[in-house]
Amino acid sequence: MTRQPAKVLEPVDVCRVLKHVETTRYPIRNRTIVLLSFKAGLRACEIGGLTWPMVLTSNRKIGPSINVHGQIAKQGRARSIPIHRDLKYALADLFEFQGKPRDGPVVCSERVQHMTARSIVNWFGTTYQQLQLDGCSSHSGRRTFITRSARMIHRTEDL
């Protein structure tokens, strides 16, 4: 049996996911998880491994980009990803909610530790199941992000 690639979500479905997470136990954290996946294209292991220094500037403000370190990236490939406006607001809310930490995980478990990649995968699986979004997985946000980015690349050709 071959595995099907993760489903690319339509904007209306992404809105449904975001609306749903507002009703969960940790809405600020969960909104950030969704936006890290759909607006930055991060993998589950990258969401779980993300730390505040990767997001903050030297004056402790949300920066213009996420600096994904090689330690959390697939095959150790570090990269910098521009932060979408919606994601920037979500990160700012989470930063404030967590008491403006200098270090530590962006996305915390109930025990204020990094969420594991498996926990992120399971969280997305449960969320998609609750919304009856068949064919979706933790990788759906990344696939959606990459697909949308590829469709918009023609806008940058003249720059």
Side-chain angles (χ1 to χ4, degrees):
M1 184 167 138
T2 58
R3 288 177 52 172
Q4 295 294 321
K7 182 178 177 181
V8 173
L9 273 69
E10 295 298 324
V12 66
D13 291 322
V14 177
C15 287
R16 281 183 59 212
V17 173
L18 288 168
K19 187 172 182 178
H20 171 76
V21 299
E22 295 305 321
T23 68
T24 62
R25 188 170 176 187
Y26 304 104
I28 297 169
R29 179 200 70 181
N30 294 346
R31 179 176 182 76
T32 305
I33 291 172
V34 171
L35 293 174
L36 285 167
S37 183
F38 283 92
K39 299 296 185 181
L42 296 188
R43 296 174 177 92
C45 61
E46 295 166 341
I47 294 170
L50 196 66
T51 62
W52 284 112
M54 294 180 206
V55 174
L56 299 174
T57 62
S58 59
N59 62 352
R60 299 187 58 218
K61 302 287 182 198
I62 304 298
S65 61
I66 298 171
N67 297 304
V68 178
H69 293 181
Q71 306 93 288
I72 68 168
K74 187 174 181 178
Q75 298 178 348
R77 294 190 177 141
R79 65 193 188 284
S80 181
I81 303 164
I83 297 179
H84 185 278
R85 179 186 65 245
D86 296 344
L87 176 55
K88 188 170 190 166
Y89 292 137
L91 286 166
D93 288 347
L94 187 61
F95 184 61
E96 186 77 30
F97 179 77
Q98 289 183 6
K100 299 185 178 182
R102 293 187 180 279
D103 202 359
V106 171
V107 176
C108 296
S109 68
E110 288 187 16
R111 295 188 176 112
V112 195
Q113 302 292 319
H114 282 277
M115 282 183 74
T116 64
R118 175 57 48 202
S119 295
I120 300 288
V121 168
N122 291 342
W123 181 87
F124 273 110
T126 300
T127 300
Y128 292 139
Q129 187 177 31
Q130 290 170 345
L131 293 170
Q132 298 178 338
L133 288 169
D134 298 329
C136 294
S137 73
S138 62
H139 211 65
S140 291
R142 181 171 172 77
R143 283 208 64 222
T144 302
F145 172 79
I146 291 168
T147 300
R148 292 230 171 82
S149 297
R151 288 179 185 157
M152 298 179 80
I153 197 75
H154 71 279
R155 294 182 183 181
T156 64
E157 289 176 355
D158 296 330
L159 297 180

